Amino acid sequence: MSASSSPEINGSSAVPRLDVDPFAMNFFADPYPTHELLREAGPVVYLDKWNVYGVARYAEVHAVLNDPATFCSSRGVGLSDFKKETPWRPPSLILEADPPAHTRTRSVLSKVLSPTVMKQVRDRFAAAAEERVDALLEKRSFDAITDLAEAYPLSIFPDALGLKPEGREHLIPYASLVFNAFGPPNQLRQDAIARSAPHQAYVTEQCQRDNLAPGGFGACIHARVDDGEITAAEAPLLVRSLLSAGLDTTVNGIGAAVYCLARFPDQWQRLRDDLTLARNAFEEAVRFESPVQTFFRTTTREVELSGARIGEGEKVLMFLAAANRDPRRWDKPDSYDITRRSSGHVGFGSGIHMCVGQLVARLEGEVMLTALAKRIAGIEITGEPKRRFNNTLRGLDSLPVTITPA
Amino acid sequence: MSAITFIHPDGRSDHIETSDGESAMQAATRHGIDGILAECGGNAMCATCHVYVDEAWLARLPAVADDEDALLDGTATERLPNSRLSCQIQLTPALDGLVLRLPERQV
């Protein structure tokens, strides 16, 4: 790895050029040294490997996220520029959209996943978490990814959406595809798209109104067609957003929290001593591990960002995970501290595109960690954790553990 | 610069200096006031920076916007006529002396 500086242009400060590949396997295996290199090289860097600008410090990541008029989403939030390339699937009406179009669709999903709705589903989600812990206590030794981080969201979220029982095995592969597709045309992305047809067919079919159970999040979205808020053609694509972003993300979020609590027994003990810390223990895991590592934006005009001049139509890669451990913003950034004031982290993004399902994620995380801490004295990692590689998501494929009942 | 006061449910109060341009939520988190969670970081998406505005000040605040109104329906403690989200209260010199009461809980 090396960093070199380009000559100063038009009075703007030079942008350091780095030859790192933040979508390579060796990067995914241990991204932290490269995150530090990116942060310390300058407020804005240029990555020659993919011809993109990058921001890895908290202040610049936050600034880019909060200026959607300059750093737009409608040209794709992956490397692919929708103005120059045909998107691999019809663009999302919310993630890959700008105001004013975004404002209308966003408002529909915000209402479907509002704090009021969370109050209604809370007891059901909490009961399912208790049942999951019952099953885990019987096993004692299990894979905390498959049997916990995946099993729990799978036991509630597809039902909450109102999905049919058949075909749910496509959900995680579809989400994995979506998040790989934000990356560059590397092996991960190409393989994912090559295998995408059956998953896409399932999702397209499942998003239709007739295939969604009454009362679920999916049916609630379609009901907005009757109010005239969205069209009948838009509703299935908005349901698709929940299928794309509502499951694999929480799997990785819960996986991250369990991995943290198993690695840091002092934090696990603090949680056991005070169960009201469960929600913040999850939030801090989202900061610490950042299940969603990166997103891109595209500049709509020439702009100066922290002294760096960026032309129009440039892709800017935001390193959310690096911002979440920027020592300029966080005290002891590399410590997992469940009592930290984690408000302001960008693990869910920030600004108008901040995760619309963040309340679902927090609810799942809170009730699952509460249920675990109530009845389990200790979690011991009993085998080498295996990483799952994805262009955007960070998480484990396997985490063998043994638990001790309380 | 102005100062505002947060009154906790147990009657204890915190009087804090604020900077122009920040929200009441930002001032609270900057000063480490417990009772303001602000999980979404001020993006009007979570309803965990709920406050009850002192009656004397209520009319001096800008009106509740639609998104704030919808979120207030989902607050953890009861929504009252003087309920607001503190992330939507932009502090100005005119709000010097503002008094905000904290609810029992935010989630």
Side-chain angles (χ1 to χ4, degrees):
Chain A
M1 279 183 280
S2 69
S4 61
S5 289
S6 58
E8 197 168 301
I9 312 157
N10 298 340
S12 330
S13 47
V15 175
R17 303 174 73 129
L18 278 72
D19 68 357
V20 302
D21 179 4
F23 299 99
M25 294 297 181
N26 59 354
F27 170 81
F28 294 140
D30 182 15
Y32 300 108
T34 309
H35 283 162
E36 190 180 352
L37 180 82
L38 290 160
R39 272 194 310 258
E40 299 315 314
V44 179
V45 298
Y46 193 80
L47 304 179
D48 286 322
K49 170 80 182 171
W50 301 111
N51 290 318
V52 296
Y53 287 86
V55 285
R57 295 182 186 174
Y58 181 86
E60 282 72 26
V61 168
H62 192 267
V64 170
L65 284 167
N66 283 281
D67 184 3
T70 305
F71 301 96
C72 80
S73 292
S74 59
R75 287 169 73 168
V77 296
L79 177 66
S80 173
D81 183 351
F82 293 178
K83 203 172 169 180
K84 297 172 185 159
E85 289 177 86
T86 307
W88 70 276
R89 63 169 188 173
S92 162
L93 299 179
I94 177 164
L95 183 73
E96 294 154 336
D98 296 324
H102 166 270
T103 314
R104 188 171 51 88
T105 49
R106 168 88 194 190
S107 146
V108 168
L109 289 192
S110 298
K111 279 180 234 162
V112 170
L113 304 172
S114 71
T116 311
V117 175
M118 292 308 109
K119 281 186 184 173
Q120 293 157 7
V121 298
R122 171 177 272 272
D123 288 349
R124 206 181 340 140
F125 280 25
E130 299 276 356
E131 282 171 32
R132 180 74 344 233
V133 174
D134 286 339
L136 296 177
L137 280 167
E138 277 191 25
K139 286 190 174 203
R140 295 288 179 91
S141 292
F142 55 87
D143 186 334
I145 301 305
T146 323
D147 299 328
L148 199 177
E150 286 186 0
Y152 174 59
L154 278 170
S155 74
I156 45 166
F157 192 67
D159 286 337
L161 263 169
L163 304 187
K164 288 178 163 187
E166 305 81 28
R168 291 181 179 187
E169 68 280 5
H170 288 287
L171 288 169
I172 287 184
Y174 180 74
S176 165
L177 155 70
V178 169
F179 285 98
N180 267 322
F182 294 128
N186 57 10
Q187 197 75 40
L188 278 173
R189 184 177 199 266
Q190 283 163 352
D191 286 354
I193 291 178
R195 290 193 303 260
S196 67
H199 310 314
Q200 286 208 74
Y202 160 77
V203 165
T204 305
E205 189 59 27
Q206 181 58 77
C207 290
Q208 301 305 312
R209 192 167 197 166
D210 291 347
N211 291 329
L212 293 158
F217 298 152
C220 290
I221 292 172
H222 279 279
R224 300 289 167 178
V225 175
D226 309 334
D227 308 339
E229 282 188 63
I230 48 172
T231 68
E234 288 171 328
L237 276 175
L238 286 176
V239 177
R240 193 191 69 179
S241 290
L242 300 195
L243 266 69
S244 306
L247 192 64
D248 216 3
T249 47
T250 54
V251 167
N252 283 302
I254 293 168
V258 173
Y259 188 34
C260 284
L261 290 164
R263 267 179 299 168
F264 308 116
D266 57 324
Q267 298 301 309
W268 173 252
Q269 197 50 52
R270 284 171 103 173
L271 173 59
R272 292 212 62 222
D273 293 343
D274 180 1
L275 292 177
T276 65
L277 291 171
R279 198 170 170 96
N280 205 55
F282 177 75
E283 197 74 31
E284 168 69 347
V286 174
R287 180 199 70 85
F288 187 78
E289 286 287 341
S290 299
V292 177
Q293 294 268 297
T294 50
F295 268 126
F296 288 86
R297 293 290 188 262
T298 313
T299 52
T300 56
R301 61 177 177 89
E302 186 179 303
V303 59
E304 190 167 307
L305 177 62
S306 301
R309 193 185 60 87
I310 305 177
E312 185 275 336
E314 298 286 348
K315 282 281 174 181
V316 178
L317 176 57
M318 303 176 292
F319 289 90
L320 307 175
N324 278 343
R325 291 192 183 205
D326 182 355
R328 293 164 189 79
R329 170 63 177 79
W330 306 99
D331 188 32
K332 296 193 184 125
D334 296 320
S335 297
Y336 174 71
D337 173 1
I338 69 169
T339 61
R340 182 193 296 277
R341 253 187 186 272
S342 50
S343 171
H345 76 76
V346 290
F348 290 112
S350 178
I352 64 166
H353 290 283
M354 190 182 186
C355 177
V356 75
Q358 57 185 283
L359 303 178
V360 183
R362 289 197 188 99
L363 176 58
E364 287 185 22
E366 178 195 347
V367 297
M368 192 67 242
L369 295 187
T370 304
L372 289 168
K374 234 192 305 191
R375 297 176 53 204
I376 295 169
I379 307 174
E380 193 198 343
I381 300 176
T382 52
E384 191 63 32
K386 256 178 64 191
R387 196 149 285 289
R388 185 176 291 174
F389 295 103
N390 184 285
N391 278 330
T392 305
L393 298 174
R394 178 169 177 79
L396 294 177
D397 196 47
S398 149
L399 177 64
V401 298
T402 297
I403 53 173
T404 322
Chain B
M1 201 171 72
S2 51
I4 61 173
T5 301
F6 286 94
I7 300 177
H8 296 264
D10 62 6
R12 164 170 72 88
S13 67
D14 285 309
H15 187 69
I16 60 170
E17 297 292 329
T18 68
S19 315
D20 284 346
E22 71 179 346
S23 66
M25 178 282 282
Q26 284 168 327
T29 52
R30 198 163 53 77
H31 287 275
I33 306 277
D34 52 0
I36 294 288
L37 264 186
E39 286 180 335
C40 82
N43 289 285
M45 294 173 192
C46 73
T48 64
C49 64
H50 180 205
V51 291
Y52 298 115
V53 179
D54 187 90
E55 299 293 345
W57 290 91
L58 198 54
R60 293 197 238 176
L61 298 181
V64 177
D66 286 350
D67 55 349
E68 183 183 354
D69 188 41
L71 285 168
L72 283 168
D73 285 339
T75 50
T77 56
E78 190 189 359
R79 177 180 184 172
L80 299 175
N82 60 336
S83 283
R84 293 296 302 258
L85 295 183
S86 56
C87 71
Q88 301 303 301
I89 303 174
Q90 288 300 320
L91 297 172
T92 61
L95 293 177
D96 187 23
L98 175 69
V99 176
L100 302 171
R101 287 188 169 73
L102 293 162
E104 287 286 345
R105 56 198 174 85
Q106 295 286 4
V107 288

